[in-house]
Amino acid sequence: MTEKMLEIEDLKTYFYGDEGVVKAVDGVTITVNKGETVGVVGESGCGKSVTSLSVMRLLQDTPGEIVDGSIKFEGKSLLNLSEKEMRMIRGNDIAMIFQEPMTSLNPVYKIGKQLEEAIKLHLRYDKKKARIHAVNMLNLVGLPRANEVMNEYPHQLSGGMRQRVMIAMAMACNPKLLIADEPTTALDVTIQAQILELMQQLRNESNTSIMLITHDLGVVAEMCDRVVVMYAGEVVEESDVYTLFENPKHPYTKGLIGSVPKLGQDVEKLDSIPGNVPIPTNMPSGCKFAPRCEFAMDICWKKDPVLLETNDKHACRCWLYQDQEKALEV
Amino acid sequence: MLQYVVKRLIGIIPILFLVSIFIFLFVHLIPGDPARLVAGQDATLQDVEVVRQELGLDQPIHIQYFNFISGIFQGDIGSSIKTGRPVFNEIASRFMPTFWLTFWSMIWAVIVGLLIGVISATKRNKWQDYLGMFGAVSGISMPSFWLGLLLIQVFAVQLGWLPVGGLESWKSYVLPSITLGSGVAAVVARFSRSSLMDILKDDYIRTGRAKGLNEHKVVWGHGLKNAMIPVVTMTGLQFGFLLGGSIVIETVFSWPGLGRLLIDSVAFRDYPVIQAEMLLFALEFILINLIVDLIYGFLNPQIRYD
Ligand SMILES: Nc1ncnc2c1ncn2[C@@H]1O[C@H](COP(=O)(O)OP(=O)(O)O)[C@@H](O)[C@H]1O
Ligand code: SF4
Ligand SMILES: [Mg+2]
């Protein structure tokens, strides 16, 4: 029996805005096992970031709210924790890397101070020990001149270097789970490859579980054990990474994969699927992918298919693989 | 850094030179005749002419300007037409009261304004925010002569705790600095609120929270220093304005400061005093600008001094 690190179950996170309710995440279930790297893929706006911010409970400054579902970390519910207990977990047991390396570091403080902060807080090191640990982390993420970088400000570093600093910061307290929200998207291709290599190396050394959010299928192919494909706030397909590339089922996944994945193949720019993600306030009834699906049938417009595990650990949300007769009767 | 300061200080000279021309022209454009005022109401035209010659006001204006400037270079900025005392002494005795009044007003105003701003920004749309912003709007819209008179009525006349006016002890500072600072506190509060609210949406704030920092550390540690960057500029400007001496407040509180000296000297067409005072304001503004730039660089490491 594999040990479960993170269990997101039927998570619903809605945004309450002027134009109505945006169901950014609408019943998402994702499990990350110990030592496993799970990829979460999908076009921009499908709810990947909101899912990860929900896990960290970092939605307090947005109009977003977790309205239903549960999030368990090592078996204990995160949604029931007090804010104080949650702070003991953030940056300690669960760490996060963001998409925007250029703006994710505070421009007015030196790198060293920003790195030491979490180390002092969670590991309770004194100033001297924290500094040594911070330098070690910078060395670990392959930053040259680690000692000097400690005394530099973010604007003195390139995007790739800043992302290394963010990774060092995230890994500093030896987290059990790392949530990486498109960690390479903002970087150019050669730097992307270096950062991925670094993440692979760190994972192999530390056995950290990773939830890797990306819209780059090449990254998924290279890094992940399992993949969750999201569309419009829902999971539409889930399987191990081999099966997904060998035998994709959902028409959306098929469209995403299209050709052989390679690094830098960006779902964002993929034009093999015509149309756009539906506007969240105006979701079609039935299958949310129907307006763009070449296989769409009558039932697809009427009734939302469920996420069904078809055969061993391969789940798919599509009427093509489900008993339509039965569904129509209900 | 030191090099930068020296460079900026040298740069002040040509600016002041230019400013002095404008001031000189401006002062001489004020309608009215100082010679007539000095000579008195029943002086004859001849008497007035004699006085005019004594004061050097019969010379063509560019000669007058030249005399004024060469005087400055010799360390002599002339004497008051009204009192005959050196302008330097006239201004020096008035500068410190205005300076300290401004200083204490700014100190409390910035501290209180920042506190209100930060609390309002973090308790957005809660009662603390509404209360803070209600106070700020009142502070901005309440005319200072009215606030001053109100304070005098309550704390000086009725309760007798504080003096009605003048400058005798530290107690004399209390009411005028409350009056003078309330507008500044209000502006600082509103400015820091909106600045901090913007900053709190930034990505590095989210990073701070994701590290497990508490809200206190996120706001005061990571937010405030960034939010201060625009606030410092605004505060510096306010300081510069107030250093000129508030005419209204100095009048209400009979304060022996630069503001009242300015009205008196304008009323008497005391050209040398007006000129010197305006030149001093210009110099103060330039110096404050320099200080603001230095604080700016201290707050924002992306600024380089070269
Ligand atoms: N701060 C916010 N305010 C309002 N709506 C938001 C906010 N953040 C996200 N959303 C909504 O949630 C949806 C999903 O966003 P997100 O999770 O960021 O997508 P992505 O998969 O690209 O990471 C967006 O389409 C948007 O409508
Ligand atoms: S349910 Fe119908 S519309 Fe939706 S993906 Fe499957 S075939 Fe296409
Ligand atoms: Mg995103």
Side-chain angles (χ1 to χ4, degrees):
Chain A
M1 180 73 203
T2 43
E3 229 178 299
K4 286 183 172 132
M5 188 58 79
L6 177 72
E7 298 159 85
I8 304 172
E9 218 163 291
D10 200 28
L11 177 71
K12 293 183 180 165
T13 304
Y14 296 173
F15 285 83
Y16 296 90
D18 300 332
E19 286 122 54
V21 183
V22 176
K23 300 182 174 178
V25 173
D26 200 12
V28 163
T29 299
I30 298 173
T31 303
V32 181
N33 294 316
K34 203 166 179 199
E36 191 183 34
T37 301
V38 174
V40 179
V41 255
E43 281 162 300
S44 229
C46 71
K48 306 183 298 289
S49 296
V50 173
T51 303
S52 60
L53 291 175
S54 302
V55 172
M56 293 292 275
R57 286 185 32 194
L58 285 176
L59 291 163
Q60 72 260 50
D61 256 14
T62 72
E65 205 180 302
I66 299 172
V67 294
D68 201 9
S70 76
I71 301 172
K72 283 190 196 142
F73 177 71
E74 293 189 306
K76 96 189 138 195
S77 167
L78 293 184
L79 299 184
N80 293 335
L81 294 183
S82 70
E83 179 56 28
K84 194 171 171 211
E85 291 167 316
M86 194 61 212
R87 282 202 301 268
M88 306 295 285
I89 289 181
R90 286 190 203 118
N92 190 17
D93 293 328
I94 309 179
M96 193 160 173
I97 308 170
F98 299 98
Q99 182 177 347
E100 305 84 4
M102 302 312 277
T103 51
S104 289
L105 289 164
N106 192 333
V108 302
Y109 292 121
K110 291 177 180 163
I111 301 295
K113 179 184 155 78
Q114 300 191 51
L115 266 172
E116 287 162 17
E117 214 167 24
I119 298 171
K120 283 190 214 159
L121 179 70
H122 296 301
L123 303 181
R124 302 188 180 283
Y125 285 0
D126 61 26
K127 197 165 167 48
K128 208 168 139 201
K129 229 170 137 194
R131 189 157 186 95
I132 295 170
H133 187 58
V135 173
N136 286 343
M137 288 313 297
L138 288 181
N139 281 319
L140 189 69
V141 298
L143 266 181
R145 325 178 281 115
N147 269 309
E148 288 155 58
V149 168
M150 290 286 287
N151 289 319
E152 287 179 356
Y153 289 99
H155 74 271
Q156 292 168 280
L157 307 180
S158 69
M161 287 169 86
R162 288 189 217 185
Q163 199 60 305
R164 282 177 196 265
V165 171
M166 288 300 290
I167 294 173
M169 200 184 274
M171 300 301 289
C173 301
N174 202 8
K176 295 171 180 160
L177 173 69
L178 177 68
I179 301 177
D181 189 355
E182 313 203 22
T184 59
T185 305
L187 306 171
D188 45 5
V189 181
T190 42
I191 311 291
Q192 279 188 19
Q194 290 169 11
I195 295 288
L196 282 179
E197 203 176 308
L198 169 67
M199 287 184 61
Q200 267 171 323
Q201 173 209 329
L202 291 177
R203 178 193 52 187
N204 296 342
E205 284 165 10
S206 65
N207 201 32
T208 304
S209 313
I210 301 178
M211 182 163 114
L212 176 60
I213 294 168
T214 177
H215 47 229
D216 189 331
L217 286 170
V219 172
V220 172
E222 213 158 297
M223 292 277 303
C224 300
D225 305 311
R226 221 147 39 76
V227 194
V228 172
V229 182
M230 283 183 68
Y231 185 78
E234 292 177 338
V235 174
V236 295
E237 185 160 7
E238 180 186 344
S239 80
D240 68 82
V241 74
Y242 268 107
T243 314
L244 191 92
F245 283 115
E246 288 299 311
N247 182 24
K249 283 186 168 161
H250 197 283
Y252 178 63
T253 316
K254 284 181 179 167
L256 288 185
I257 293 173
S259 55
V260 186
K262 55 183 187 298
L263 195 63
Q265 179 190 331
D266 205 329
V267 174
E268 205 78 348
K269 294 173 210 121
L270 205 96
D271 48 18
S272 62
I273 315 171
N276 288 311
V277 184
I279 302 160
T281 44
N282 189 19
M283 279 295 175
S285 60
C287 173
K288 296 190 173 70
F289 189 57
R292 297 169 74 187
C293 179
E294 53 179 314
F295 305 103
M297 305 160 284
D298 276 350
I299 186 172
C300 304
W301 296 96
K302 289 179 189 134
K303 225 171 154 357
D304 199 357
V306 292
L307 185 66
L308 199 70
E309 202 163 302
T310 43
N311 50 40
D312 196 30
K313 308 228 153 168
H314 190 167
C316 174
R317 186 191 289 273
C318 173
W319 285 119
L320 292 172
Y321 306 92
Q322 301 184 11
D323 194 341
Q324 303 165 22
E325 311 292 323
K326 223 179 188 170
L328 277 182
E329 280 164 20
V330 185
Chain B
M1 172 84 178
L2 188 70
Q3 216 178 352
Y4 170 82
V5 174
V6 171
K7 228 160 65 186
R8 284 282 301 265
L9 287 175
I10 293 171
I12 291 178
I13 295 168
I15 299 175
L16 274 186
F17 189 70
L18 212 68
V19 168
S20 71
I21 296 178
F22 283 109
I23 289 174
F24 192 83
L25 287 175
F26 175 74
V27 166
H28 283 258
L29 281 176
I30 304 174
D33 183 358
R36 162 60 71 186
L37 288 168
V38 171
Q41 281 303 320
D42 10 85
T44 62
L45 266 181
Q46 259 167 342
D47 291 343
V48 173
E49 275 316 305
V50 171
V51 172
R52 196 187 307 285
Q53 271 173 29
E54 273 172 11
L55 295 174
L57 294 173
D58 57 330
Q59 314 254 19
I61 195 155
H62 62 274
I63 303 286
Q64 287 188 44
Y65 177 72
F66 179 78
N67 290 340
F68 167 58
I69 287 293
S70 58
I72 289 178
F73 278 108
Q74 288 156 30
D76 171 20
I77 48 176
S79 302
S80 162
I81 293 178
K82 184 181 168 197
T83 63
R85 294 201 302 149
V87 172
F88 183 85
N89 296 4
E90 289 284 347
I91 288 184
S93 66
R94 299 299 193 99
F95 179 76
M96 287 331 271
T98 291
F99 176 82
W100 286 116
L101 178 57
T102 305
F103 181 79
W104 291 118
S105 305
M106 289 302 289
I107 292 280
W108 85 259
V110 168
I111 292 173
V112 170
L114 266 181
L115 268 174
I116 293 176
V118 171
I119 292 169
S120 292
T122 49
K123 304 277 179 194
R124 185 166 62 240
N125 296 333
K126 302 215 173 81
W127 66 265
Q128 295 95 327
D129 183 20
Y130 292 128
L131 183 70
M133 286 306 108
F134 172 76
V137 170
S138 323
I140 288 171
S141 41
M142 197 182 314
S144 48
F145 77 88
W146 188 76
L147 177 63
L149 291 175
L150 187 78
L151 290 173
I152 289 175
Q153 180 61 28
V154 174
F155 294 99
V157 177
Q158 303 210 325
L159 296 171
W161 292 350
L162 296 161
V164 176
L167 172 51
E168 280 134 31
S169 67
W170 63 268
K171 282 185 182 168
S172 306
Y173 279 97
V174 178
L175 295 183
S177 57
I178 291 177
T179 314
L180 190 60
S182 64
V184 180
V187 176
V188 170
R190 288 181 45 130
F191 219 76
S192 50
R193 173 181 182 265
S194 67
S195 172
L196 187 59
M197 263 164 54
D198 280 347
I199 295 288
L200 289 180
K201 291 188 196 114
D202 282 349
D203 289 338
Y204 53 81
I205 294 294
R206 188 184 57 191
T207 306
R209 292 191 177 123
K211 269 188 229 178
L213 300 181
N214 59 30
E215 274 309 288
H216 185 82
K217 281 201 175 121
V218 168
V219 172
W220 293 92
H222 282 271
L224 196 63
K225 195 172 171 195
N226 283 285
M228 283 301 287
I229 293 173
V231 175
V232 162
T233 313
M234 194 270 308
T235 309
L237 275 177
Q238 294 275 340
F239 197 84
F241 276 122
L242 295 192
L243 264 189
S246 160
I247 290 170
V248 172
I249 283 163
E250 292 189 358
T251 306
V252 169
F253 288 97
S254 320
W255 197 257
L258 289 175
R260 264 171 71 217
L261 178 64
L262 186 65
I263 340 181
D264 291 350
S265 48
V266 168
F268 206 80
R269 307 294 183 274
D270 200 343
Y271 291 168
V273 177
I274 305 175
Q275 281 160 7
E277 217 177 336
M278 290 178 81
L279 214 51
L280 175 67
F281 296 162
L283 181 64
E284 282 167 2
F285 246 101
I286 295 169
L287 287 179
I288 282 173
N289 246 308
L290 175 59
I291 293 169
V292 164
D293 283 352
L294 293 178
I295 298 177
Y296 218 89
F298 164 76
L299 290 174
N300 184 356
Q302 295 184 45
I303 306 260
R304 315 236 90 236
Y305 293 116
D306 39 38

